[in-house]
Amino acid sequence: LCALAGCEVGLPRAAEQLVIEASDLQALDVNRPNLILLSATVRNRASIALAYPAIEVTLTDLQDRPLARRVLLPDQYLARRPDNRTGLRAGEDFSIKLTLDTTELRPVGYRLYLFYP
């Protein structure tokens, strides 16, 4: 019916079924402390395929106060272009590795939040 009406039905969105299995923030080079590597692994715990989520990255200071926040869409954090027809299959996980230039922020912590805009 959607083809006749010119609409498109996307994959389900269930952020509560997505979990961050592991994540890490590391300095890449002691001589360039502004360059850091953010790594994370996200798993789909649902019994169905889900759309890839947006990921909010918040860099924090010693008191866990936000220094900077950015939302990354699947096109920005996946190494390959996301397949919007198959999405993230049931039980599947994906990893991200992002190099961030924090300029003079000097973050000591971070928070990750998965959601659908």
Side-chain angles (χ1 to χ4, degrees):
L1 290 174
C2 225
L4 293 173
C7 64
E8 185 177 315
V9 177
L11 289 166
R13 298 173 171 207
E16 70 280 359
Q17 293 295 321
L18 298 172
V19 294
I20 299 169
E21 294 278 316
S23 66
D24 190 30
L25 188 68
Q26 296 179 355
L28 286 175
D29 182 350
V30 292
N31 297 320
R32 298 178 68 196
N34 59 309
L35 290 180
I36 57 176
L37 177 66
L38 174 67
S39 304
T41 302
V42 177
R43 178 174 299 276
N44 176 4
R45 289 199 176 162
S47 60
I48 59 172
L50 298 176
Y52 284 97
I55 300 175
E56 180 183 271
V57 178
T58 304
L59 301 176
T60 60
D61 66 10
L62 279 169
Q63 287 77 40
D64 198 37
R65 292 180 300 217
L67 296 172
R69 182 174 290 134
R70 182 165 179 195
V71 172
L72 301 168
L73 299 175
D75 288 352
Q76 297 170 302
Y77 66 75
L78 290 174
R80 57 177 168 70
R81 185 168 178 84
D83 186 341
N84 295 324
R85 292 169 295 147
T86 59
L88 184 59
R89 293 183 196 104
E92 185 177 51
D93 60 27
F94 68 90
S95 296
I96 62 168
K97 288 189 184 292
L98 299 170
T99 301
L100 305 172
D101 185 345
T102 62
T103 58
E104 300 300 319
L105 293 176
R106 309 262 188 220
V108 295
Y110 66 99
R111 287 183 235 133
L112 300 176
Y113 175 65
L114 306 173
F115 72 101
Y116 292 99

